[in-house]
């Protein structure tokens, strides 16, 4: 019995042990399974993190370091070290008698600007295409020669920039080697002598400004006026006069100061280099002109009816503010953000130094100081399409009554477009996956370089419109719902974007490279409007502008935006011709119906032999194609390889040719100008334009006045576009871009055997799968999407 009990106990113990072992096995198995799951999860998370890291790295804003590409070297910008070497070299040249800018006076010789200067085109192409030696990299230096009698402005070519050994006075057959002193850009040396004159006037009328505007220039706290001299235009050649305009200064009480201009102006004269002769010449208060400040004070004290107050505008401190307004019919009902663009498999373009490559395209980006951003050495599938595509000049010509209405004519290269590039907002101004490029330029005030980050962005964009597509239906068959095939290709492009902010206006420029060989140059104006005095408060009879706020005694005046673009097109080489294809209606006797006539459009080719013969003033009654072609290169169909120039936004300059604004914007007199290439005709722009409207240092008219032969020559197309702007209430606080975009395109015209975009993988073909209704889709991509970025940060590098 005892043995039996012993065996029973052992059996129970064994059973319990087995159960325990079984439970242990189960636990181990479960643990292993959980560990496997955890390991797989961790592995997946690591892969996701790696993919996410890859995406983040793919969207970095720092371009790759410069490579050994020839074009990278010859088109490279000046470095900070090179700016320093050029400065040191020039200061050591005894023949120039230079003074350091920080110590300069109006009777000193001192450096105003240093900028990169390209060598001759023939030398650069010889280096790029024929293995010749690399031409010396050069700098153009503008020197204010106040110590000379009379004082002048001169420009010198200094080379080589990495170790300067020579400087030569810039000589050009189309302009004088010495530029008038009174046409120079206003700098800190000059304004240091003008400021005390302005200060004296504003102190004397302080009580008037305080009573009239509740803002003043002195001891003003958050309610200060600021002086801006936006109106530098001489009334006659050799004269130097400016109007200073008063604005309510940016503060917590007022934002968007351009909308807060007050009807108070001071005119001052600053001709020559003797500051003792600088003087205040006129004062305007509430639209009344006075010869001096004493006359204004006397009138104000003796005539109460003359006084007029300008309160804060309707909207108070929010008027002109960029902040979101609350409420309203257009207030979005949800907080869903707008759609964004990603490249899950990485970028399809590269930026190495200043060279960009993209799906057959390659070009170099250069940021000049005076004119707009350039793309140079533009090639498509290895063939050069253009040596240069660039924005050249911007003008804004205003209407209105004195003083601003007469003198408010802006020629923006005077402010130097390369300097007026500011950091772009990542994720808003440009997509998050863009690559951003910096700019480095010489600052004349400090004699040092300024490094400005993220001023140009490069990105690929799906425009949302097919580049090409067709649905081939059984249109004439018994069942038109049937189809043979359908195909489409998105217009996915590469964009080079930059934005010039010149005082109040922002100009959004895009150079767009399509996969069919087309290049677009686009510009869209936005930003704040400038104001001018409101003389007529009746909105229905005011001919000069729009009153945008009933409390302000100012108006938004009518103005004309004009833009100049340069296209140095090289079709199969540099020996090209220019022709127009003139479209006209022709009437004919009907061959099958006697006595009946029919009319149809025809075109006629007209070769242009000289520069004057090629001038284009667009006429809607005489439509034309404008084509540049190579007569020595024949298409397989018998045509000559060519590129067509087209534009959306031709605009006529209405001002008479002998007027000062028209003289300064002669590049807008004709919508298309074709000139023979010259190394002395690099740009239609000029940093002296704002002050030299009567006798321009760079006269664009001289580019074609010599009427050179343009048959089988290296040709350049200068194209101008523009728009008239009569402001409305919706232009407050800033004017918007829709409906204001202007485009100039160069398009292949019998350049290729067929549409070159058909080699792209981006196209999709859909065919019927046999006789059933299912579709057979042909796509030319095999890779799947790798990742999706989670970066939603909006960033700006100041």
């Amino acid at each position: 019995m005892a043995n039996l009990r012993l065996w029973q106990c052992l059996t129970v113990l064994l059973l319990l042990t087995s159960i325990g072992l079984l439970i242990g096995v189960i636990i181990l198995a479960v643990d292993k399974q959980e560990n496997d799951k955890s390991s797989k999860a961790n592995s997946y998370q690591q892969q996701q993190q790696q993919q996410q890291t890859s995406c983040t790295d793919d969207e970095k804003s720092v371009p790759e370091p410069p490579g050994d590409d020839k074009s990278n070297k010859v088109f490279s910008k000046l470095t900070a070290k090179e700016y320093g070497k050029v400065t040191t070299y020039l200061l050591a040249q005894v023949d120039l008698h230079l003074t350091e800018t920080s110590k300069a006076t109006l009777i000193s010789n001192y450096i105003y600007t240093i900028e990169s200067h390209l060598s001759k085109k023939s030398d650069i192409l010889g280096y790029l295409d024929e293995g010749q030696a690399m031409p010396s990299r050069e700098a153009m230096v503008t020197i204010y020669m106040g110590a000379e009698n009379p004082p002048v402005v001169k420009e010198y070519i200094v080379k080589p920039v990495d170790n300067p050994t020579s400087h030569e006075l810039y000589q050009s057959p189309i302009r004088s080697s010495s530029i008038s002193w009174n046409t120079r850009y206003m700098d800190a040396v000059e304004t240091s002598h003008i400021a005390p004159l302005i200060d004296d006037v504003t102190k004397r009328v302080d009580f008037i400004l305080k009573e009239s505007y509740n803002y003043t220039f002195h001891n003003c706290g958050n309610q200060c006026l600021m002086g801006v001299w936006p109106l530098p235009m001489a009334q006659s050649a050799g004269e130097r006069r400016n109007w200073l305009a008063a604005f309510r200064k940016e503060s917590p009480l007022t934002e968007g100061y351009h909308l807060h201009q007050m009807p108070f102006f001071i005119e001052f004269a600053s001709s020559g280099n003797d500051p003792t002769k600088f003087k205040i010449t006129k004062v305007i208060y509430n639209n009344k002109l006075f010869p001096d400040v004493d006359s204004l004070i006397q009138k104000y004290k003796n005539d109460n009816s003359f006084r007029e107050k300008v309160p804060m505008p309707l909207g108070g401190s929010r008027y002109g503010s960029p902040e979101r307004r609350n409420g309203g019919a257009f207030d979005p009902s949800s907080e869903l953000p707008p759609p964004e663009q990603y490249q899950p498999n990485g970028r399809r373009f590269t930026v190495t130094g200043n060279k960009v490559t993209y799906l057959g395209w390659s070009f170099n980006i250069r940021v000049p100081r005076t004119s707009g951003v350039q793309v140079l050495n533009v090639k498509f599938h290895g063939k050069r399409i253009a040596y240069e595509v660039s924005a050249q000049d911007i003008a804004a010509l205003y209407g209105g009554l004195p003083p601003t209405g007469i003198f408010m004519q802006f020629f923006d290269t005077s402010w130097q477009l390369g300097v007026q590039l500011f950091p772009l907002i990542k994720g808003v101004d440009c997509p998050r996956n863009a690559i951003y490029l910096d700019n480095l330029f010489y600052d004349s005030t400090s004699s040092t370089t300024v490094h400005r980050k993220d001023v140009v962005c490069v990105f690929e964009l799906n425009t949302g419109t097919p580049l090409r597509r067709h649905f081939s239906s059984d249109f004439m068959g018994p069942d038109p719902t049937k189809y043979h095939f359908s195909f489409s290709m998105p217009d996915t492009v590469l964009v080079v974007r930059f934005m010039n902010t010149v005082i109040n206006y922002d100009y959004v420029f895009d150079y767009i490279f399509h996969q069919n060989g087309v290049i677009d140059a686009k510009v869209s104006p936005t930003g704040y409007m400038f104001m001018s005095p409101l003389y007529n408060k009746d909105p229905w009879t005011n001919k000069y502008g729009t009153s945008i706020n009933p409390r302000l005694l100012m108006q938004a005046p009518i103005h004309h935006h004009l833009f100049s673009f340069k296209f140095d097109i090289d079709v199969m080489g540099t020996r090209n011709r220019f022709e127009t294809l003139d479209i006209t209606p022709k009437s004919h006797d009907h061959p099958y119906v006697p006595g009946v006539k029919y009319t149809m459009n025809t075109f006629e080719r007209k070769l242009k032999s000289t520069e004057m013969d090629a001038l284009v003033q667009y006429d809607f009654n005489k439509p034309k194609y404008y084509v540049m072609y190579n007569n020595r290169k024949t298409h397989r169909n018998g045509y000559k390889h060519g590129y067509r120039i087209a534009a959306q936004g031709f605009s006529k300059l209405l001002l008479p040719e002998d007027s000062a604004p028209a003289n300064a914007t002669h590049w807008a007199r004709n919508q298309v100008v074709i000139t023979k290439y010259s190394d002395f005709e690099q740009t239609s722009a000029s940093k002296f334009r704002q002050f030299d409207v009567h006798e321009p240092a760079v006269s664009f008219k001289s580019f074609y006045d010599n009427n050179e032969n343009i048959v089988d020559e290296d040709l350049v197309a200068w194209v101008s576009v523009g728009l008239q702007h009569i402001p409305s209430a919706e232009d407050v606080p800033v004017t918007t871009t829709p409906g204001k975009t202007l485009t100039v395109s160069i398009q292949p015209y019998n350049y290729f055997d067929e549409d070159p975009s058909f080699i792209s993988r981006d196209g999709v073909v859909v065919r019927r799968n046999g006789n059933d209704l299912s579709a057979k889709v042909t796509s030319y991509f095999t890779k799947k999407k790798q990742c999706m970025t989670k970066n939603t940060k909006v960033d700006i590098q100041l």
Side-chain angles (χ1 to χ4, degrees), residues 394 396 412 498-500 502 505-509 523-525 561 563:
I394 305 171
D412 289 351
F498 58 100
M499 303 184 189
N500 286 113
V502 187
Y505 259 112
D506 297 64
Y507 300 102
V508 182
F509 285 94
V523 59
S524 306
H561 291 287
F563 305 90

Side-chain angles (χ1 to χ4, degrees), residues 44 47-48 50-52 54-55 58 340-348 462 779 781-789:
Y44 177 76
Q47 291 175 11
Q48 289 294 93
Q50 290 172 358
Q51 291 175 351
Q52 179 62 44
S54 176
C55 282
D58 181 62
E340 296 202 39
Q341 173 179 303
Y342 301 101
Q343 292 176 286
N345 288 10
R347 296 192 184 96
R348 301 197 297 182
N462 185 327
S779 175
F781 292 102
T782 57
K783 284 187 176 183
K784 296 181 179 180
K785 295 181 180 180
Q786 300 298 314
C787 60
M788 189 67 71
T789 182

Side-chain angles (χ1 to χ4, degrees), residues 229-280:
W229 31 76
L231 315 171
M233 180 180 287
Q235 299 176 26
S236 60
E239 194 176 43
R240 189 172 180 83
R241 292 174 180 266
N242 280 264
W243 282 97
L244 179 137
F247 293 81
R248 283 175 172 151
K249 192 176 182 179
E250 299 275 7
S251 74
L253 299 179
T254 52
E255 290 191 303
Y257 77 88
H258 308 93
L259 300 180
H260 295 271
Q261 186 176 347
M262 301 293 101
F264 176 73
F265 305 88
I266 303 170
E267 186 193 56
F268 57 92
S270 57
S271 297
N273 63 345
D274 183 357
T276 64
K277 295 182 179 179
F278 293 0
K279 58 183 179 180
I280 303 298

Side-chain angles (χ1 to χ4, degrees), residues 78-87 114-115 440-442 449:
L78 297 183
T79 65
K81 187 176 181 180
E82 289 169 339
Y83 278 115
K85 286 192 173 184
V86 171
T87 302
I114 302 174
E115 54 192 304
L440 188 73
F441 60 88
Y442 179 83
T449 54

Side-chain angles (χ1 to χ4, degrees), residues 302-315:
N302 297 335
D303 187 355
N304 290 338
S305 64
F306 170 67
R307 305 174 187 180
E308 189 162 11
K309 295 183 182 296
V310 180
M312 288 294 290
L314 294 176

Side-chain angles (χ1 to χ4, degrees), residues 294-346:
D294 291 328
S295 302
L296 166 58
I297 293 173
Q298 182 180 1
K299 176 70 172 176
Y300 186 87
K301 289 181 176 180
N302 297 335
D303 187 355
N304 290 338
S305 64
F306 170 67
R307 305 174 187 180
E308 189 162 11
K309 295 183 182 296
V310 180
M312 288 294 290
L314 294 176
S317 61
R318 302 290 277 182
Y319 183 76
S321 169
E323 299 294 340
R324 174 179 176 267
R325 275 57 165 165
N326 294 320
F330 299 101
D331 189 22
S333 58
S334 69
E335 294 187 8
L336 292 175
E340 296 202 39
Q341 173 179 303
Y342 301 101
Q343 292 176 286
N345 288 10

Side-chain angles (χ1 to χ4, degrees), residues 1 173 259 265 405 590 606 615 682 694 781:
M1 193 71 175
L259 300 180
F265 305 88
H590 201 294
K606 291 187 177 180
L615 297 177
Q682 288 294 313
H694 299 282
F781 292 102

